[in-house]
């Protein structure tokens, strides 16, 4: 009880409250600028946390990253340019709402289910962190390899249109991820002698290219879309309660998947969004509605990416092993502030720990009013003439990708990927599958190669560990299941015809 | 779409084969049973059947199901191709110009060029470009300490 | 190929001196300074770089901005420091990888492309095993390998300083360099995860990198590769003490450099400022709290350190077959 009161005093200071408010606004702004991910929002905060008290520093990171993950949905919905990789999975779906003139429905769902997912993830962090961390520690590269494969299987599920083309786009994405020397062997591949390419193709630069630059390119040859007449939006949240009741199963599934993926080191909110959206499409009663402005997938994926964000702190706080790229940065800040991760943090620094929980809950609650303001403000973008939006977007892209790597080469990469992204989309190759390949490639390859190094080239350990076996069965079922079903279905039809 | 898919399928199978060929030449790492070549080879091998399927099904997909195939005939094909490539070209010019000229001038030019190309009127485009460039510089350069080059012109803050 | 490039770098350096020397004078610095870091935000090197930058800011009266130029196992950032204009307005933090990357065939860049300013930290390799491991000392470890057991080591990437620590251990123990397997990882944290899940048997990393897992009783440190035990962990023996094997060269270290050709007066100004920063209570307390090892060497001493490491790393890498052909 004393620690509870002490923790409350820690966050009730003027400094912490001001920091939460400012970093929330900062996160909302950064998230909705194409080219700046939630990870980047966190990285750019590091120098500033230097001057803050420990709890305020952690509060800044928590609020900014939670807001940025939600806010990444805004440009995705309004302009078809996802602000963060976590939003890229369902950008097409959300944009379909805008084309229909109902952007506030998609954005309201993104906001409401982001907040719910965030709170669910926080509860998981508070109540079952040790158990989840225990589970996470059982995962070795064999399990991660299968997990990565499961992620890749989502490619055909998140993309509408031709399946071979989606697979081809995925493979192209995986090839892009091979560039550079960030592979297990530390050997430069496909770098054509360039020092800049040694670090590989930055995911954000590629994402900005295929979505934002390609969108500006499309604008160059297409007529401006007819301006949607401004009508008065109803309450943004009113419809959400109905959605919550209608899709409560999907929401819970998204929350749970998000927490699981978040708690596993090395897989973050990006993967959580993709996997949840794919699960949603796979088990939906109306899969044909996906991609046409259907809220079901948004509910599930929106909950999942924010739930995973909170759960990512579990292995970070307990073992100093980051759950995702955001907590990888946050761990550095924890050390810097004397909140060294480890079980002692929960015993010796219990008040600080509770303070961190409080910050999570506060951040996810104030996300709703701030988010509503943001939605009401940003939907005016649809009234702004296209030339003004697109020209500003192009400069934001250039500055944003430069800020990620501090290298002008990233701007050139974004320009090149603009051409690639336009071409893929124009000829029916799924851009979402392409991005999935770039995001997941390093994880799949690294775990594949290190597993083989560990086993001395044998593949038995891929199957004889219990967790690995379960994941392997899931992956193989996902891969061959549809084929099998079709074969059995075909045989049955033939036998009944006889 | 028939021809586009044939070309796409051929390009992709070529890429798959090129990738396998390039990967085979990658060095082996002493002490590692699997070297850097394995993964790109797997991807290259997987790309080839996809490419073949695309080739085989070329033209099979009905026209209206194609995504992004809603081009207006406003520009001639050559003109459209030229206009399409302008945004990437603007970014390349920006990269070349930013060191000597500095962010403010290069950024202003990016917004101006794109705005005018998209049909913005000068009288509105100039103030927009000026305000946005200064705003972006203030947020990134000043607040977030992104090292944007000053070049010929620097902000007083 | 390599010699031609060293000559090129030297030529560029001489040219740099003659061009840049004249313009600079007593009023250095009169604008912000950039400190390039080849590693990402949030890591240990990032924290050290930012502490140093704040200290320098106070000493020099100009902002010092840390710029993370990551990628290519440090090659990109190290190259960026070397190719910056040698005017004292771009400096960098370099790490042990500089003595290895050119031997791995990744770049032609060597330590000679820099003007050393100060060495500010070093951490020896700690040998960590799972908490329930039978290996209780470095002696057990060597015996196990001699007995034909294939132990899997991890800790960081292929061709990293901890990989060299393993290779050197095998070479100096007169074992076959392929008697143990190096499992590359993205850093100490994923390696500790592999250790806990039973994927590898041994993790080599600095003591602070293993701290959280050791205090969670998932891992234990059996020895460190240093001349002296760590003052904060006197119970952990040294490799030489446990086995008689003299191998302490592969330690991680951090130093501040300027591009070669930076004028003398500017370099001396920076060196003096760095000394004040190093001695400041802020820096000392921070390093102590993080568990990072403290070691100071001035510009001349740092230069000798670099040359010495270059030679010793070269011998072990050649013996272990880590050098690219």
């Amino acid at each position: 009880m004393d620690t509870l009161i002490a923790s409350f005093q820690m966050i009730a200071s003027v400094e912490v409250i001001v920091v939460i408010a400012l970093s929330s606004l900062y996160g909302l702004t950064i998230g909705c600028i194409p080219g700046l991910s939630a990870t980047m929002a966190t990285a750019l905060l590091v120098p500033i946390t230097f001057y803050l008290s420990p709890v305020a520093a952690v509060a800044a990171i928590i609020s900014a990253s939670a807001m940025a993950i939600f806010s990444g949905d805004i440009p995705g919905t309004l302009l078809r340019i996802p602000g963060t990789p976590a939003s890229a999975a369902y950008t097409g779906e959300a944009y379909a709402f805008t084309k229909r003139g109902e952007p506030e429905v998609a954005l309201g769902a993104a906001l409401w289910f982001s907040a719910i997912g965030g709170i669910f993830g926080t509860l998981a962090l508070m109540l079952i962190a040790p158990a989840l961390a225990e589970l996470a520690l059982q995962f070795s590269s064999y399990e991660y390899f299968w997990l990565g494969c499961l992620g890749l299987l989502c490619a055909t599920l998140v993309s509408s249109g031709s399946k071979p083309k989606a697979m081809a786009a995925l493979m192209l994405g995986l090839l892009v991820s091979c560039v550079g020397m960030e592979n297990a062997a530390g050997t430069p591949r496909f770098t054509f002698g360039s020092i800049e390419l040694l670090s590989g193709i930055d995911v954000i630069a590629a994402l900005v290219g295929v979505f934002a630059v390609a969108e500006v390119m499309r604008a160059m040859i297409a007529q401006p879309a007819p301006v949607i007449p401004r009508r008065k939006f109803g309450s943004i949240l009113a419809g959400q309660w109905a959605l919550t009741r209608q899709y409560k199963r999907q929401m819970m599934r998204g929350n749970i998947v998000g927490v699981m993926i978040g708690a596993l080191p090395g897989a973050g909110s990006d993967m959580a969004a993709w996997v949840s959206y794919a699960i949603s499409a796979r088990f939906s009663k109306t899969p044909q509605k996906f991609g046409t402005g259907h809220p079901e997938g948004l509910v599930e994926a929106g909950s999942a990416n924010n739930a995973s964000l909170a759960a990512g702190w579990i292995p970070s706080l307990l073992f100093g092993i980051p759950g995702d790229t955001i907590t990888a940065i946050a761990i550095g800040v924890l050390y810097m502030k004397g909140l060294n991760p480890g079980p002692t943090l929960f015993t010796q620094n219990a008040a600080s720990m509770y303070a961190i929980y409080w910050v999570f809950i506060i951040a996810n609650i104030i996300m709703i009013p701030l988010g509503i303001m943001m939605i009401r403000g940003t939907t005016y973008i649809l009234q702004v003439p296209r030339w003004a939006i697109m020209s500003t977007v192009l400069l934001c892209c250039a500055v944003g990708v430069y800020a990620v790597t501090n290298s002008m080469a990233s701007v050139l990469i974004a320009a090149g990927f603009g051409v690639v992204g336009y071409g893929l989309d124009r000829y029916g190759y799924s851009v979402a599958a392409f991005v999935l390949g770039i995001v997941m490639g390093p994880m799949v390859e690294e775990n594949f190669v290190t597993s083989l190094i560990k086993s001395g080239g044998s593949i038995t350990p891929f199957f004889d560990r219990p967790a690995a076996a379960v994941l392997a069965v899931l992956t193989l079922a996902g891969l061959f299941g549809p084929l099998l079903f079709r074969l059995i279905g075909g045989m049955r039809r033939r036998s009944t015809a006889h | 779409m028939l021809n586009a898919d044939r070309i796409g399928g051929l390009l992709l199978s070529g890429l798959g084969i090129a990738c396998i060929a390039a990967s085979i030449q990658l060095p082996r790492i002493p002490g590692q049973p699997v070297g850097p070549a394995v993964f790109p080879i797997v991807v290259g091998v997987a790309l080839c059947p996809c490419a073949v399927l695309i080739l085989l099904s070329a033209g099979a997909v009905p026209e209206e199901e194609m995504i992004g195939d809603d081009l207006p005939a406003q520009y001639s094909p050559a003109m459209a191709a030229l206009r399409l490539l302008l945004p990437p070209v603007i970014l390349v010019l920006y990269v070349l110009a930013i060191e000597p000229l500095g962010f403010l001038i290069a950024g202003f030019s990016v917004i101006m060029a794109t705005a005018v190309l998209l049909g913005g009127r000068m009288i509105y485009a100039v103030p927009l470009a000026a305000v946005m460039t200064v705003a972006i510089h203030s947020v990134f350069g000043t607040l977030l300490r992104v090292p944007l080059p000053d070049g010929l012109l620097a902000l007083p803050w | 190929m390599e010699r031609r490039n060293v000559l090129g770098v030297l030529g560029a350096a001489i040219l740099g001196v003659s061009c840049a020397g004249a313009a600079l004078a007593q009023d250095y610095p009169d604008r912000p300074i950039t400190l390039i870091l080849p590693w990402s935000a949030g890591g240990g090197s990032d924290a050290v770089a930012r502490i140093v930058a704040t200290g320098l800011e106070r000493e020099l009266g100009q902002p010092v901005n840390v710029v993370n130029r990551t990628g290519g196992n440090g090659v990109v950032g190290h190259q960026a420091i070397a190719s910056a204009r040698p005017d004292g307005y771009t400096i960098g933090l370099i790490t042990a990888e500089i003595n290895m990357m050119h031997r791995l065939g990744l770049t032609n860049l060597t330590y000679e492309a820099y003007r050393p300013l100060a060495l500010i930290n070093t951490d020896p390799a700690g040998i960590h095993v799972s908490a329930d491991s039978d290996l209780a000392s470095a002696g057990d470890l060597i015996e196990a390998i001699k007995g034909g057991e294939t132990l899997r080591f991890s800790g960081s990437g292929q061709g990293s300083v901890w990989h060299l620590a393993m290779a050197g251990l095998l070479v100096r123990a007169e074992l076959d360099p392929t008697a143990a397997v190096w499992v590359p990882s993205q850093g100490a944290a994923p390696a500790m995860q592999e250790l806990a899940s039973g994927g590898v048997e041994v993790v080599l990393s600095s003591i602070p990198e293993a701290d959280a897992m050791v205090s969670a009783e998932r891992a234990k440190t059996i020895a460190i590769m240093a001349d002296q035990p760590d003052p904060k962990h006197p119970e952990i023996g040294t490799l030489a003490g446990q086995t008689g094997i003299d191998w302490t060269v592969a330690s991680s270290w951090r130093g501040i450099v300027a591009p070669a050709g930076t004028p003398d007066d500017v370099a001396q100004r920076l060196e003096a400022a760095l000394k004040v920063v190093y001695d400041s209570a802020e820096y000392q307390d921070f390093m102590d709290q993080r568990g990072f090892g403290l070691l100071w060497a001035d510009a001349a001493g740092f230069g000798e350190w670099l040359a010495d490491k270059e030679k010793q790393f070269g011998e072990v890498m050649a013996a272990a077959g880590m050098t690219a052909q």
Side-chain angles (χ1 to χ4, degrees):
Chain A
M1 198 61 213
D2 285 350
T3 45
L4 261 183
I5 295 168
S7 67
F8 206 74
Q9 280 164 347
M10 279 174 139
I11 59 153
S13 77
V14 176
E15 185 199 10
V16 175
I17 291 168
V18 169
V19 162
I20 292 181
L22 286 181
S23 39
S24 298
L25 290 175
Y26 160 80
L28 282 171
T29 319
I30 294 286
C32 76
I33 298 176
L36 286 182
S37 61
T39 309
M40 200 55 222
T42 314
L44 291 174
L45 266 182
V46 170
I48 296 164
T49 57
F50 219 74
Y51 304 100
L52 301 175
S53 71
V55 171
V58 179
I61 290 181
I62 292 172
S63 351
S65 57
M67 300 296 162
I69 291 277
F70 151 67
S71 162
D73 296 344
I74 296 177
T77 307
L78 297 179
L79 303 170
R80 203 183 161 203
I81 302 173
T84 66
S87 308
Y90 46 84
T91 294
E93 183 87 77
Y95 184 64
F97 279 91
T98 303
K99 277 208 291 204
R100 214 166 53 203
E102 297 173 348
E104 82 278 12
V105 177
L107 287 173
L111 174 63
W112 176 247
F113 292 100
S114 285
I116 290 187
I119 289 174
F120 187 89
T122 311
L123 290 176
L125 169 65
M126 289 165 71
L127 302 175
I128 51 167
L132 275 173
E134 202 60 48
L135 180 80
L137 273 196
Q138 301 306 312
F139 270 55
S140 152
S141 60
Y142 305 109
E143 286 80 17
Y144 281 114
F145 168 70
W146 289 117
L147 200 66
C149 290
L150 273 176
L152 292 185
L153 278 181
C154 302
T156 54
L157 290 169
V158 295
S159 54
S160 48
S162 150
K163 299 288 175 210
K165 284 185 175 177
M167 286 306 287
L170 176 73
M171 294 300 152
L172 277 179
L174 290 175
L175 268 190
V176 167
S177 79
C178 289
V179 175
M181 58 166 289
E182 314 281 294
N183 50 64
T187 304
R189 287 188 308 210
F190 313 134
T191 57
F192 307 102
S194 150
I195 294 262
E196 296 287 351
L197 279 182
L198 280 183
S199 50
I201 307 271
D202 182 67
V203 177
I204 299 296
L207 183 82
V208 164
V210 296
F211 285 106
V213 178
E215 194 63 36
V216 180
M217 289 169 67
R218 264 190 292 274
M220 281 286 168
I221 52 163
Q223 293 282 9
V227 173
I228 301 154
R230 179 99 193 146
R231 59 186 173 78
K232 196 159 163 38
F233 290 158
S235 160
I236 287 174
L237 291 184
Q240 304 311 328
W241 185 237
L243 281 181
T244 313
R245 268 188 310 188
Q246 189 182 354
Y247 295 120
K248 55 178 178 293
R249 214 159 47 89
Q250 283 83 345
M251 181 187 83
M252 276 319 285
R253 205 163 52 197
N255 285 337
I256 291 167
V257 166
V259 166
M260 300 293 288
I261 291 180
L264 291 171
S269 53
D270 309 356
M271 187 178 169
W274 254 293
V275 170
S276 301
Y277 186 74
I279 290 179
S280 195
R282 180 74 187 76
F283 292 102
S284 169
K285 289 197 189 77
T286 53
Q288 72 281 3
K289 285 191 187 163
F290 275 71
T292 60
H294 183 55
E296 193 174 345
L298 293 186
V299 169
E300 188 152 351
S303 322
N305 59 15
N306 275 63
S308 84
L309 192 66
W313 287 74
I314 293 173
S316 323
L317 291 170
L318 274 164
F319 300 114
I321 294 175
D324 55 17
T325 48
I326 293 168
T327 43
I329 299 169
I331 285 177
V333 174
L334 287 172
Y335 272 118
M336 187 116 81
K337 294 296 171 190
L339 295 170
N340 293 10
T344 49
L345 183 62
F346 291 80
T347 50
Q348 291 167 10
N349 258 325
S352 303
M353 277 305 303
Y354 283 113
I356 292 177
Y357 297 155
W358 283 118
V359 172
F360 262 111
I361 292 179
I362 294 172
N364 280 296
I365 290 173
I366 63 168
M367 179 192 284
I368 291 178
L370 287 178
I372 290 177
M373 273 163 46
M374 198 73 186
I375 292 173
R376 291 205 185 275
T378 49
T379 40
Y380 280 102
I381 278 184
L382 298 173
Q383 259 64 41
V384 177
R386 191 182 62 170
W387 60 265
I389 302 277
M390 289 300 164
S391 56
T392 310
V393 162
L394 196 63
L395 185 60
C396 283
C397 293
V399 179
V401 296
Y402 175 70
V404 178
T405 57
N406 290 311
S407 162
M408 280 297 163
S410 294
V411 184
L412 297 178
I413 288 175
F417 273 78
V419 178
V420 174
Y422 177 84
L424 288 175
D425 186 63
R426 170 76 178 77
Y427 296 109
Y429 298 85
S430 164
V431 176
F434 179 66
V435 172
L436 180 70
I438 303 178
V439 172
M440 299 291 302
M443 174 184 170
V444 175
E445 170 174 18
E446 192 194 323
N447 289 301
F448 178 60
V449 173
T450 50
S451 296
L452 284 175
I453 291 173
K454 283 182 345 199
S455 69
S458 149
I459 60 161
T460 31
F462 282 95
F463 299 96
D464 69 359
R465 298 167 56 99
V470 172
L471 288 166
V473 169
L474 279 177
T475 310
L476 297 176
L479 190 60
F480 297 112
L483 206 71
L484 222 64
F485 274 124
R486 207 174 299 165
L487 277 180
I488 294 171
M491 277 194 286
R492 232 183 248 156
R493 235 170 292 141
R494 218 166 300 151
S495 57
T496 46
H498 269 291
Chain B
M1 272 307 164
L2 185 71
N3 276 328
D5 280 355
R6 283 194 183 140
I7 295 170
L10 284 177
L11 276 179
L12 286 171
S13 49
L15 189 67
I17 292 164
C19 163
I20 297 169
S23 305
I24 286 171
Q25 294 165 19
L26 287 169
R28 299 183 61 83
I29 302 297
Q32 286 193 8
V34 282
V38 175
F39 189 70
I41 290 179
V42 169
V43 175
V45 168
L47 192 56
C48 290
C50 296
V52 172
L53 280 176
I54 293 169
L55 266 178
L56 290 180
S57 63
V61 182
E63 203 71 359
E64 62 270 17
E65 272 184 34
M66 298 304 309
I67 310 161
D69 201 23
D70 48 0
L71 289 188
Q74 177 185 5
Y75 301 104
S76 69
M79 189 63 188
L82 196 69
R83 282 185 64 91
L84 258 182
L85 287 177
L86 281 170
V89 169
I90 289 174
L91 286 180
V92 173
L93 293 176
Y94 165 84
V95 170
L96 294 177
I98 192 162
E99 276 296 335
L101 300 182
F103 171 75
L104 289 177
I105 298 174
F108 179 85
S109 317
V110 167
I111 296 194
M112 273 302 295
T114 319
V116 169
L117 281 168
L118 285 173
R121 304 236 325 263
M122 270 294 182
I123 182 170
Y124 301 116
V126 172
L128 174 90
V131 169
M132 278 305 175
T133 311
V134 171
I136 291 174
H137 190 285
S138 308
V139 171
F140 287 90
T142 311
L143 287 178
L144 299 174
R145 291 192 165 192
V146 174
L148 298 169
D150 279 337
L152 300 178
L153 194 63
L155 278 184
W157 58 83
Chain C
M1 177 72 195
E2 187 158 340
R3 182 171 307 156
R4 200 186 318 149
N5 254 284
V6 171
L7 284 179
V9 168
L10 282 177
I14 295 162
L15 216 83
V17 176
S18 50
C19 298
L24 286 152
Q26 308 79 336
D27 44 313
Y28 171 83
D30 61 356
R31 58 189 169 89
I33 295 171
T34 301
L35 195 160
I36 296 180
L37 174 72
W39 308 102
S40 60
S45 294
D46 186 59
V48 173
R50 286 182 199 283
I51 288 274
V52 170
T54 356
L56 280 179
E57 212 163 292
R58 210 174 25 233
E59 282 308 303
L60 299 171
Q62 284 289 341
V64 179
N65 299 323
V66 177
V67 170
N68 306 85
R69 283 298 299 273
T70 57
N73 288 359
V75 175
V76 174
H78 281 94
Q79 181 68 54
I81 302 167
S83 41
R85 202 173 298 147
D87 54 6
Y89 290 100
T90 308
I91 56 176
L93 186 151
I94 64 168
T95 53
E97 280 70 14
I98 185 65
N99 294 122
M100 310 185 64
M101 49 179 68
H102 64 96
R103 292 186 198 281
L104 296 164
L106 301 174
T107 169
N108 296 313
L109 185 70
T110 70
Y111 74 95
E112 287 168 347
Y114 306 110
R115 175 166 189 143
L117 296 174
L119 179 70
I120 53 171
N121 144 269
T122 180
D123 285 301
I127 306 177
H128 314 282
V129 295
S130 168
D132 51 16
S133 169
D134 299 332
L135 305 171
S137 72
D140 293 353
L141 185 74
I142 298 292
E143 284 310 311
I145 300 174
K146 273 197 179 133
E149 209 176 315
T150 309
L151 292 182
R152 294 167 296 182
F153 285 64
S154 188
S156 54
Q158 180 83 14
S160 63
V161 71
W162 303 136
H163 183 188
L164 181 73
M166 178 192 89
L169 177 68
L170 297 173
V171 168
R172 295 283 164 99
E174 288 166 0
L175 292 161
D176 180 3
T178 59
V181 178
W182 182 257
V183 179
S185 78
Q186 293 287 331
M192 295 308 282
Q193 159 97 17
E194 283 289 334
L195 190 71
S197 66
V200 297
E201 284 79 30
V202 185
V203 166
L204 300 182
S205 76
S206 66
I207 303 261
E209 283 173 319
D211 207 34
M213 288 293 274
V214 170
S215 63
E217 292 175 358
R218 296 312 169 107
K220 59 186 180 194
T221 309
I222 56 175
I224 57 168
M225 299 184 184
D227 298 323
Q228 301 292 328
D230 186 284
K232 288 180 104 177
H233 302 275
E235 73 286 359
I236 302 170
T238 62
L239 178 66
Q242 288 179 356
T243 63
I245 298 168
D246 173 33
W247 172 243
T248 59
V249 180
S251 64
S252 85
W253 52 260
R254 299 179 175 104
I256 307 290
V257 296
T262 303
D264 286 339
D265 51 346
V266 169
Q268 280 151 13
R269 178 96 176 81
L270 283 165
E271 188 187 346
L274 282 165
K275 177 69 181 154
V276 179
V277 173
Y278 180 86
D279 288 333
S280 68
E282 200 183 357
Y283 183 77
Q284 298 280 329
D285 290 348
F286 168 77
M287 297 300 272
D288 181 61
Q289 182 255 317
R290 278 297 297 262
F292 287 146
L294 283 160
L295 181 70
W296 167 262
D298 59 9
F302 185 24
E304 284 165 27
W305 165 280
L306 283 165
D308 179 49
K309 290 277 179 188
E310 179 71 25
K311 196 168 132 280
Q312 302 218 39
F313 278 24
E315 284 165 13
V316 167
M317 286 178 77
M322 283 170 74
T323 316
Q325 273 77 48

